mmCIF file with all atom_site columns, all heavy atoms in Angstrom:
data_model
loop_
_atom_site.group_PDB
_atom_site.id
_atom_site.type_symbol
_atom_site.label_atom_id
_atom_site.label_alt_id
_atom_site.label_comp_id
_atom_site.label_asym_id
_atom_site.label_entity_id
_atom_site.label_seq_id
_atom_site.pdbx_PDB_ins_code
_atom_site.Cartn_x
_atom_site.Cartn_y
_atom_site.Cartn_z
_atom_site.occupancy
_atom_site.B_iso_or_equiv
_atom_site.pdbx_formal_charge
_atom_site.auth_seq_id
_atom_site.auth_comp_id
_atom_site.auth_asym_id
_atom_site.auth_atom_id
_atom_site.pdbx_PDB_model_num
ATOM 1   N N   . ILE B 1 404 ? 103.439 117.626 116.211 1.00 66.00 ? 404 ILE B N   1
ATOM 2   C CA  . ILE B 1 404 ? 103.508 116.656 115.149 1.00 66.00 ? 404 ILE B CA  1
ATOM 3   C C   . ILE B 1 404 ? 102.131 116.471 114.557 1.00 66.00 ? 404 ILE B C   1
ATOM 4   O O   . ILE B 1 404 ? 101.109 116.701 115.200 1.00 66.00 ? 404 ILE B O   1
ATOM 5   C CB  . ILE B 1 404 ? 104.079 115.299 115.607 1.00 66.00 ? 404 ILE B CB  1
ATOM 6   C CG1 . ILE B 1 404 ? 103.130 114.626 116.569 1.00 66.00 ? 404 ILE B CG1 1
ATOM 7   C CG2 . ILE B 1 404 ? 105.425 115.450 116.238 1.00 66.00 ? 404 ILE B CG2 1
ATOM 8   C CD1 . ILE B 1 404 ? 103.420 113.168 116.697 1.00 66.00 ? 404 ILE B CD1 1
ATOM 9   N N   . SER B 1 405 ? 102.160 116.051 113.342 1.00 69.00 ? 405 SER B N   1
ATOM 10  C CA  . SER B 1 405 ? 100.930 115.776 112.654 1.00 69.00 ? 405 SER B CA  1
ATOM 11  C C   . SER B 1 405 ? 100.572 114.328 112.995 1.00 69.00 ? 405 SER B C   1
ATOM 12  O O   . SER B 1 405 ? 101.399 113.443 112.860 1.00 69.00 ? 405 SER B O   1
ATOM 13  C CB  . SER B 1 405 ? 101.212 115.972 111.177 1.00 69.00 ? 405 SER B CB  1
ATOM 14  O OG  . SER B 1 405 ? 100.161 115.504 110.437 1.00 69.00 ? 405 SER B OG  1
ATOM 15  N N   . ALA B 1 406 ? 99.379  114.123 113.484 1.00 80.00 ? 406 ALA B N   1
ATOM 16  C CA  . ALA B 1 406 ? 99.040  112.791 113.959 1.00 80.00 ? 406 ALA B CA  1
ATOM 17  C C   . ALA B 1 406 ? 97.690  112.344 113.423 1.00 80.00 ? 406 ALA B C   1
ATOM 18  O O   . ALA B 1 406 ? 96.843  113.150 113.048 1.00 80.00 ? 406 ALA B O   1
ATOM 19  C CB  . ALA B 1 406 ? 99.013  112.779 115.481 1.00 80.00 ? 406 ALA B CB  1
ATOM 20  N N   . LEU B 1 407 ? 97.543  111.053 113.387 1.00 87.00 ? 407 LEU B N   1
ATOM 21  C CA  . LEU B 1 407 ? 96.272  110.455 113.030 1.00 87.00 ? 407 LEU B CA  1
ATOM 22  C C   . LEU B 1 407 ? 95.663  109.967 114.343 1.00 87.00 ? 407 LEU B C   1
ATOM 23  O O   . LEU B 1 407 ? 96.329  109.274 115.107 1.00 87.00 ? 407 LEU B O   1
ATOM 24  C CB  . LEU B 1 407 ? 96.530  109.277 112.100 1.00 87.00 ? 407 LEU B CB  1
ATOM 25  C CG  . LEU B 1 407 ? 95.326  108.547 111.543 1.00 87.00 ? 407 LEU B CG  1
ATOM 26  C CD1 . LEU B 1 407 ? 94.666  109.409 110.495 1.00 87.00 ? 407 LEU B CD1 1
ATOM 27  C CD2 . LEU B 1 407 ? 95.761  107.234 110.916 1.00 87.00 ? 407 LEU B CD2 1
ATOM 28  N N   . ILE B 1 418 ? 98.676  108.528 116.443 1.00 89.00 ? 418 ILE B N   1
ATOM 29  C CA  . ILE B 1 418 ? 99.786  107.854 115.771 1.00 89.00 ? 418 ILE B CA  1
ATOM 30  C C   . ILE B 1 418 ? 100.496 108.917 114.938 1.00 89.00 ? 418 ILE B C   1
ATOM 31  O O   . ILE B 1 418 ? 99.844  109.633 114.187 1.00 89.00 ? 418 ILE B O   1
ATOM 32  C CB  . ILE B 1 418 ? 99.277  106.745 114.832 1.00 89.00 ? 418 ILE B CB  1
ATOM 33  C CG1 . ILE B 1 418 ? 98.530  105.687 115.621 1.00 89.00 ? 418 ILE B CG1 1
ATOM 34  C CG2 . ILE B 1 418 ? 100.422 106.123 114.053 1.00 89.00 ? 418 ILE B CG2 1
ATOM 35  C CD1 . ILE B 1 418 ? 97.867  104.648 114.733 1.00 89.00 ? 418 ILE B CD1 1
ATOM 36  N N   . PRO B 1 419 ? 101.805 109.032 115.083 1.00 80.00 ? 419 PRO B N   1
ATOM 37  C CA  . PRO B 1 419 ? 102.498 110.048 114.288 1.00 80.00 ? 419 PRO B CA  1
ATOM 38  C C   . PRO B 1 419 ? 102.229 109.813 112.801 1.00 80.00 ? 419 PRO B C   1
ATOM 39  O O   . PRO B 1 419 ? 102.360 108.700 112.306 1.00 80.00 ? 419 PRO B O   1
ATOM 40  C CB  . PRO B 1 419 ? 103.971 109.820 114.606 1.00 80.00 ? 419 PRO B CB  1
ATOM 41  C CG  . PRO B 1 419 ? 103.971 109.115 115.912 1.00 80.00 ? 419 PRO B CG  1
ATOM 42  C CD  . PRO B 1 419 ? 102.721 108.323 115.968 1.00 80.00 ? 419 PRO B CD  1
ATOM 43  N N   . ARG B 1 420 ? 101.844 110.870 112.135 1.00 76.00 ? 420 ARG B N   1
ATOM 44  C CA  . ARG B 1 420 ? 101.463 110.767 110.736 1.00 76.00 ? 420 ARG B CA  1
ATOM 45  C C   . ARG B 1 420 ? 102.618 110.237 109.880 1.00 76.00 ? 420 ARG B C   1
ATOM 46  O O   . ARG B 1 420 ? 102.404 109.610 108.846 1.00 76.00 ? 420 ARG B O   1
ATOM 47  C CB  . ARG B 1 420 ? 101.063 112.170 110.270 1.00 76.00 ? 420 ARG B CB  1
ATOM 48  C CG  . ARG B 1 420 ? 100.519 112.279 108.896 1.00 76.00 ? 420 ARG B CG  1
ATOM 49  C CD  . ARG B 1 420 ? 99.101  111.758 108.824 1.00 76.00 ? 420 ARG B CD  1
ATOM 50  N NE  . ARG B 1 420 ? 98.618  111.749 107.442 1.00 76.00 ? 420 ARG B NE  1
ATOM 51  C CZ  . ARG B 1 420 ? 98.834  110.770 106.603 1.00 76.00 ? 420 ARG B CZ  1
ATOM 52  N NH1 . ARG B 1 420 ? 99.542  109.721 106.959 1.00 76.00 ? 420 ARG B NH1 1
ATOM 53  N NH2 . ARG B 1 420 ? 98.371  110.811 105.380 1.00 76.00 ? 420 ARG B NH2 1
ATOM 54  N N   . SER B 1 421 ? 103.851 110.514 110.319 1.00 70.00 ? 421 SER B N   1
ATOM 55  C CA  . SER B 1 421 ? 104.996 110.123 109.492 1.00 70.00 ? 421 SER B CA  1
ATOM 56  C C   . SER B 1 421 ? 105.076 108.611 109.315 1.00 70.00 ? 421 SER B C   1
ATOM 57  O O   . SER B 1 421 ? 105.715 108.129 108.398 1.00 70.00 ? 421 SER B O   1
ATOM 58  C CB  . SER B 1 421 ? 106.285 110.649 110.112 1.00 70.00 ? 421 SER B CB  1
ATOM 59  O OG  . SER B 1 421 ? 106.408 110.186 111.431 1.00 70.00 ? 421 SER B OG  1
ATOM 60  N N   . TYR B 1 422 ? 104.410 107.870 110.200 1.00 77.00 ? 422 TYR B N   1
ATOM 61  C CA  . TYR B 1 422 ? 104.456 106.415 110.070 1.00 77.00 ? 422 TYR B CA  1
ATOM 62  C C   . TYR B 1 422 ? 103.326 105.873 109.212 1.00 77.00 ? 422 TYR B C   1
ATOM 63  O O   . TYR B 1 422 ? 103.389 104.749 108.756 1.00 77.00 ? 422 TYR B O   1
ATOM 64  C CB  . TYR B 1 422 ? 104.344 105.747 111.443 1.00 77.00 ? 422 TYR B CB  1
ATOM 65  C CG  . TYR B 1 422 ? 105.614 105.796 112.215 1.00 77.00 ? 422 TYR B CG  1
ATOM 66  C CD1 . TYR B 1 422 ? 105.790 106.708 113.236 1.00 77.00 ? 422 TYR B CD1 1
ATOM 67  C CD2 . TYR B 1 422 ? 106.662 104.943 111.901 1.00 77.00 ? 422 TYR B CD2 1
ATOM 68  C CE1 . TYR B 1 422 ? 106.974 106.775 113.929 1.00 77.00 ? 422 TYR B CE1 1
ATOM 69  C CE2 . TYR B 1 422 ? 107.846 105.004 112.585 1.00 77.00 ? 422 TYR B CE2 1
ATOM 70  C CZ  . TYR B 1 422 ? 107.995 105.920 113.597 1.00 77.00 ? 422 TYR B CZ  1
ATOM 71  O OH  . TYR B 1 422 ? 109.162 105.985 114.263 1.00 77.00 ? 422 TYR B OH  1
ATOM 72  N N   . VAL B 1 423 ? 102.288 106.666 109.094 1.00 84.00 ? 423 VAL B N   1
ATOM 73  C CA  . VAL B 1 423 ? 101.092 106.109 108.473 1.00 84.00 ? 423 VAL B CA  1
ATOM 74  C C   . VAL B 1 423 ? 101.234 106.125 106.965 1.00 84.00 ? 423 VAL B C   1
ATOM 75  O O   . VAL B 1 423 ? 101.512 107.151 106.353 1.00 84.00 ? 423 VAL B O   1
ATOM 76  C CB  . VAL B 1 423 ? 99.851  106.923 108.901 1.00 84.00 ? 423 VAL B CB  1
ATOM 77  C CG1 . VAL B 1 423 ? 98.619  106.370 108.219 1.00 84.00 ? 423 VAL B CG1 1
ATOM 78  C CG2 . VAL B 1 423 ? 99.703  106.859 110.398 1.00 84.00 ? 423 VAL B CG2 1
ATOM 79  N N   . GLU B 1 424 ? 101.083 104.973 106.391 1.00 82.00 ? 424 GLU B N   1
ATOM 80  C CA  . GLU B 1 424 ? 101.229 104.835 104.963 1.00 82.00 ? 424 GLU B CA  1
ATOM 81  C C   . GLU B 1 424 ? 99.863  104.972 104.302 1.00 82.00 ? 424 GLU B C   1
ATOM 82  O O   . GLU B 1 424 ? 99.714  105.606 103.285 1.00 82.00 ? 424 GLU B O   1
ATOM 83  C CB  . GLU B 1 424 ? 101.821 103.446 104.676 1.00 82.00 ? 424 GLU B CB  1
ATOM 84  C CG  . GLU B 1 424 ? 102.053 103.137 103.245 1.00 82.00 ? 424 GLU B CG  1
ATOM 85  C CD  . GLU B 1 424 ? 103.399 103.621 102.768 1.00 82.00 ? 424 GLU B CD  1
ATOM 86  O OE1 . GLU B 1 424 ? 104.100 104.264 103.569 1.00 82.00 ? 424 GLU B OE1 1
ATOM 87  O OE2 . GLU B 1 424 ? 103.742 103.366 101.619 1.00 82.00 ? 424 GLU B OE2 1
ATOM 88  N N   . GLU B 1 425 ? 98.884  104.365 104.923 1.00 84.00 ? 425 GLU B N   1
ATOM 89  C CA  . GLU B 1 425 ? 97.592  104.285 104.289 1.00 84.00 ? 425 GLU B CA  1
ATOM 90  C C   . GLU B 1 425 ? 96.572  103.837 105.327 1.00 84.00 ? 425 GLU B C   1
ATOM 91  O O   . GLU B 1 425 ? 96.906  103.158 106.280 1.00 84.00 ? 425 GLU B O   1
ATOM 92  C CB  . GLU B 1 425 ? 97.679  103.229 103.188 1.00 84.00 ? 425 GLU B CB  1
ATOM 93  C CG  . GLU B 1 425 ? 96.616  103.310 102.153 1.00 84.00 ? 425 GLU B CG  1
ATOM 94  C CD  . GLU B 1 425 ? 96.864  102.312 101.034 1.00 84.00 ? 425 GLU B CD  1
ATOM 95  O OE1 . GLU B 1 425 ? 98.036  101.945 100.825 1.00 84.00 ? 425 GLU B OE1 1
ATOM 96  O OE2 . GLU B 1 425 ? 95.900  101.910 100.394 1.00 84.00 ? 425 GLU B OE2 1
ATOM 97  N N   . HIS B 1 497 ? 92.828  113.687 111.291 1.00 78.00 ? 497 HIS B N   1
ATOM 98  C CA  . HIS B 1 497 ? 94.206  114.167 111.323 1.00 78.00 ? 497 HIS B CA  1
ATOM 99  C C   . HIS B 1 497 ? 94.240  115.396 112.202 1.00 78.00 ? 497 HIS B C   1
ATOM 100 O O   . HIS B 1 497 ? 93.374  116.241 112.097 1.00 78.00 ? 497 HIS B O   1
ATOM 101 C CB  . HIS B 1 497 ? 94.664  114.566 109.926 1.00 78.00 ? 497 HIS B CB  1
ATOM 102 C CG  . HIS B 1 497 ? 94.886  113.389 109.053 1.00 78.00 ? 497 HIS B CG  1
ATOM 103 N ND1 . HIS B 1 497 ? 95.947  112.543 109.235 1.00 78.00 ? 497 HIS B ND1 1
ATOM 104 C CD2 . HIS B 1 497 ? 94.193  112.905 108.013 1.00 78.00 ? 497 HIS B CD2 1
ATOM 105 C CE1 . HIS B 1 497 ? 95.895  111.597 108.337 1.00 78.00 ? 497 HIS B CE1 1
ATOM 106 N NE2 . HIS B 1 497 ? 94.832  111.771 107.584 1.00 78.00 ? 497 HIS B NE2 1
#
Side-chain angles (χ1 to χ4, degrees):
Chain B
I404 67 162
S405 169
L407 183 73
I418 298 173
R420 185 75 185 85
S421 56
Y422 283 102
V423 178
E424 181 87 356
E425 199 174 334
H497 288 288

